Each structure stands twice: as C-alpha cells, then as structure tokens.
Amino acid sequence: MITERQITSILKKRGYKLTPQRKAILKVITQSYDHLTPYNIYERVHQESPDVGLVTVYRTLDLLTKLGLICEVHAEGNCHSYLVKRPSEQHHHHLLCSQCGTVVDFVDCGVEELQERLCQKTGFEIHDHLLEFVGCCRNCQKTTPS
Amino acid sequence: MITERQITSILKKRGYKLTPQRKAILKVITQSYDHLTPYNIYERVHQESPDVGLVTVYRTLDLLTKLGLICEVHAEGNCHSYLVKRPSEQHHHHLLCSQCGTVVDFVDCGVEELQERLCQKTGFEIHDHLLEFVGCCRNCQKTTPS
DNA sequence: CTGACTGCAAATAGTTTGCATGACG
DNA sequence: CGTCATGCAAACTATTTGCAGTCAG
C-alpha cells in the first residue's frame, strides 16, 4: 500500500500544492482498504473536515488517476470505485469481498498462456486485460453464514 | 449468439408482449457484434423506427438483463455497454477490439486453479469473477499500423 | 377488453465547468 | 506575490419515475 507520505512526496516533486483538503482526502483513501466511490470518500472526508467539497474530491481523484496512484474497481455493478495502488506494482488484480468491500491484491494472475492462446486463435493483438474475483472474506463468512 | 427468434420466444413464454418497439430493439442488438451503450442502441433503432424512445430502450435492456439474455461489458472506461449473450453459455468471457468494438467470446478461461489458490491463501469463498481482454483485432491491425 | 407497454416530461443522480476568492510555496 | 486550488452554483450527461394514452393478446 502506498502511504500518505509517499503520495505527498510525489505531489510535491511534481509541483502540486499540498492543501489541507488534499491531505484530508489522501488520509481517507490511504487508510481504507475498501474500494470507495467519490461520494463515499466525500462523506468520510467531510466528517473530519467539513470544509472539503465534493468537487474537490473529484478533482483530487482526477489528479491521482493522472499520476497513476489509484486504480478503478469494477465489480458489483459499481463502476466508479477507487482504490490506492500498492507500491511499485505495475500489474496486479483484486479480490473483493461483496459484503464488506475489503480488497485483497494478488500479483501472479497467470493469464499469459491464455492470452497467448487467444492471440493465436483470433489473430488479435492483446494489449491489456481486466481480472477481478468476487467473494466473501473470512470475517464475513462468520457473520453471514450462507 | 442468441437469435432474435429465440429471444422472441422466451419473451412470449414468460408472458411479455412483443411490441414493434421491442422487435426493433431486439433486431439491433442481435445483429450487432459490438458492445453498445443504451444511447448507441437508441440511435440505431431510431434510424429505422423513429417512433422508439430512449426510455423504451432502457426498459427493454432492464428486461433483458432480468431474463439474463444480455451481459455487461466493462472495458475502455465505458461501464455500461451491453451485448447479447451467446446461447446456453453459462460462463464465458470477452475479448474486445479497442478500435472497432468487435467482441469475441471465449469459454475456456482456465482460472479455476488460480481461484483455488486464492481461496487457500486468503480464506475467501469465491463466487464469481470478471475477466476481459482488450486488444486490436486482425482487421484493425491492417488499418492502423502501430 | 384490460393490463402491460409506450412516450413524454419531469425528477433524480453523477460528474464537469466557469468564475471569483483564497492560500500554498 | 503569483499561481494554483477551492467552493459555489450552474451546466451537463445518464438514468429513473409518474402519468395518461395506446395496443398486443
């Protein structure tokens, strides 16, 4: 997980200002292990620092996306949730808990051979892929016995 | 690919009415091999039958989703594109061309062992997954040499 | 005939933009 | 101090809902 401190230093290096609003937003998203919608983030930030507007959350998310520090999560019909990237991972995927929203990363996705096979079969040149698992984490299994 | 005829018969069986608007929408989505947004569908339908409103497209898409006849495509930042399901496939995935939108299905995704491994490691009970590949199809490779 | 379906307009939700003010560096 | 960032309000886009009229079965 990238820390608040690391993001802070990246922002400074690139010449972006470190405003209290940005600090508050960074704090929330770096301290959460869930995927959060812009509005979720706004709510949490707003509780602590009521002087932060939703618009600023959107603009900060844009900025962090541009810098490649956060990534999107697609599952559960919710296409605009965000998550802080873990450090120095170029390529990783997510495993989400549909109850509590916890996200676990994994790196070794092993789709290379599948990709190769598809290229052969279809003639496509494959650039990218999207892979996510959805399930129920250990904690929520206890709370919600299926 | 499920045909218009097949969907038609499913609708009848379930007691839904077969209106000209629904026919027009079905025609468009069954004849397209791309993923289309609700508005894309509206445009195409509207050309042929100007008496079909966007609202009806939304309602028809809801209906088809409820009946499990179409599925969502997530790629390219576009989270609300739809696609007719191929027949009797419970489990399949998509390979999309980012140039022209063509979608190719594949069935054998081989993520079972990865899933098993993740369950072991994380204690999750995994219900579902999302897998898509994005690339450039054979045709578009010719047109747009990279 | 009658309930399901439709179109329209209005409501709602999510996101972006313009502009005047404020504060980081 | 100058410039970038912010908040507000308004604009926009996407989607949903209420309602009265219409039509498939």
Side-chain angles (χ1 to χ4, degrees):
Chain A
M1 188 76 146
I2 299 186
T3 61
E4 199 183 330
R5 179 173 296 257
Q6 288 172 296
I7 296 185
T8 293
S9 109
I10 292 174
L11 288 182
K12 275 189 185 166
K13 238 180 267 173
R14 305 275 190 114
Y16 293 101
K17 290 183 179 171
L18 199 60
T19 61
Q21 290 90 334
R22 285 186 178 166
K23 275 187 205 167
I25 294 170
L26 290 177
K27 192 175 168 197
V28 165
I29 62 179
T30 53
Q31 287 182 0
S32 163
Y33 231 89
D34 310 5
H35 49 116
L36 301 172
T37 62
Y39 192 75
N40 290 155
I41 296 171
Y42 169 72
E43 283 177 320
R44 298 198 185 186
V45 170
H46 202 78
Q47 264 183 351
E48 298 266 319
S49 334
D51 54 330
V52 175
L54 179 55
V55 183
T56 300
V57 173
Y58 275 102
R59 287 196 270 231
T60 305
L61 288 175
D62 278 352
L63 178 59
L64 295 176
T65 304
K66 208 162 54 185
L67 295 176
L69 299 170
I70 53 176
C71 44
E72 274 183 40
V73 174
H74 280 264
E76 304 292 294
N78 193 343
C79 296
H80 290 112
S81 287
Y82 297 91
L83 196 65
V84 175
K85 271 202 180 146
R86 277 58 168 177
S88 69
E89 288 169 22
Q90 318 80 340
H91 184 77
H92 72 282
H93 298 282
H94 301 135
L95 165 54
L96 328 178
C97 175
S98 54
Q99 308 277 315
C100 69
T102 296
V103 180
V104 174
D105 290 4
F106 60 94
V107 174
D108 171 25
C109 69
V111 294
E112 294 77 15
E113 56 179 320
L114 173 57
Q115 179 164 329
E116 184 55 35
R117 204 167 357 120
L118 286 172
C119 287
Q120 300 268 332
K121 205 159 95 182
T122 63
F124 270 61
E125 218 171 65
I126 296 181
H127 310 313
D128 200 11
H129 63 266
L130 177 62
L131 174 62
E132 280 180 17
F133 287 91
V134 183
C136 185
C137 74
R138 197 177 279 158
N139 260 331
C140 292
Q141 285 171 43
K142 285 178 213 153
T143 357
T144 338
S146 39
Chain B
M1 187 78 146
I2 298 186
T3 61
E4 201 184 330
R5 180 174 295 258
Q6 287 173 299
I7 296 185
T8 293
S9 109
I10 293 174
L11 289 183
K12 275 189 185 166
K13 236 179 269 170
R14 306 277 189 115
Y16 294 101
K17 291 185 179 171
L18 199 60
T19 62
Q21 290 90 337
R22 284 186 179 165
K23 276 187 205 166
I25 294 170
L26 290 178
K27 191 174 168 198
V28 165
I29 62 180
T30 53
Q31 287 183 359
S32 164
Y33 232 88
D34 309 6
H35 48 115
L36 302 171
T37 63
Y39 192 74
N40 290 154
I41 296 170
Y42 169 72
E43 283 177 321
R44 299 196 186 188
V45 170
H46 202 77
Q47 264 183 351
E48 299 266 320
S49 333
D51 53 329
V52 176
L54 180 55
V55 184
T56 300
V57 173
Y58 274 103
R59 288 195 269 227
T60 305
L61 288 174
D62 278 353
L63 176 59
L64 295 175
T65 305
K66 209 161 55 187
L67 296 175
L69 298 171
I70 53 175
C71 44
E72 275 183 40
V73 174
H74 280 266
E76 304 291 295
N78 193 344
C79 296
H80 290 113
S81 288
Y82 298 90
L83 196 64
V84 176
K85 270 200 182 148
R86 276 59 166 176
S88 70
E89 288 170 20
Q90 317 81 338
H91 184 76
H92 71 281
H93 298 283
H94 301 136
L95 165 55
L96 330 176
C97 174
S98 55
Q99 308 277 315
C100 68
T102 295
V103 180
V104 174
D105 290 5
F106 60 94
V107 174
D108 170 26
C109 69
V111 295
E112 294 76 15
E113 56 178 320
L114 172 57
Q115 180 166 327
E116 185 54 36
R117 204 164 1 118
L118 287 172
C119 287
Q120 299 268 331
K121 206 160 93 180
T122 63
F124 270 61
E125 219 170 65
I126 296 180
H127 311 313
D128 198 11
H129 63 266
L130 176 61
L131 174 62
E132 279 180 18
F133 287 91
V134 183
C136 184
C137 75
R138 199 176 279 158
N139 260 332
C140 292
Q141 285 171 42
K142 286 176 210 153
T143 355
T144 337
S146 39

